[in-house]
């Protein structure tokens, strides 16, 4: 398990992260992570367990209404 820190702006309680990977079970589908920790309006942390597969995981942030950021960032897992 790893902790991912996400930097942004106007982050607030109820915001959450979604992840999408390219290999294995559940690939190609946005999956909601665990409840993140809102550290401040510009930083949240999220626990993630990418398993043992080398992959690139796309990440986006959504608000409590389910509206998600149009831009995504990628995390390389080796």
């Amino acid at each position: 398990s790893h902790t991912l820190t996400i930097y942004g702006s106007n982050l607030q309680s109820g915001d959450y992260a979604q992840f999408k990977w390219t290999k294995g079970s559940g690939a190609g589908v946005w999956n909601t992570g665990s409840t993140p920790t809102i550290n401040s309006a510009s930083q949240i942390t999220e626990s993630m367990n990418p398993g043992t597969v080398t992959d690139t995981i796309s990440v986006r942030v959504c608000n409590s209404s389910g509206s998600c950021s149009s831009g995504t960032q990628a995390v390389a897992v080796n």
Side-chain angles (χ1 to χ4, degrees), residues 3-7 11 36-46:
T3 300
L4 176 66
T5 301
I6 302 169
Y7 297 92
L11 299 170
T37 301
I38 310 294
N39 299 319
S40 68
S42 61
Q43 183 186 67
I44 63 176
T45 54
E46 176 83 38

Side-chain angles (χ1 to χ4, degrees), residues 14-16 18 32 60-69:
D15 289 355
Y16 58 94
Q18 288 190 324
T32 301
R60 67 182 182 183
V61 175
C62 305
N63 64 25
S64 59
S65 301
S67 177
C68 300
S69 60

Side-chain angles (χ1 to χ4, degrees), residues 2 4 6 14-21 29-37 44-49 57-62 68:
H2 302 282
L4 176 66
I6 302 169
D15 289 355
Y16 58 94
Q18 288 190 324
F19 303 94
K20 182 171 61 172
W21 49 89
V29 177
W30 285 107
N31 294 278
T32 301
S34 61
T35 303
T37 301
I44 63 176
T45 54
E46 176 83 38
S47 294
M48 61 182 275
N49 186 353
I57 300 173
S58 297
V59 181
R60 67 182 182 183
V61 175
C62 305
C68 300

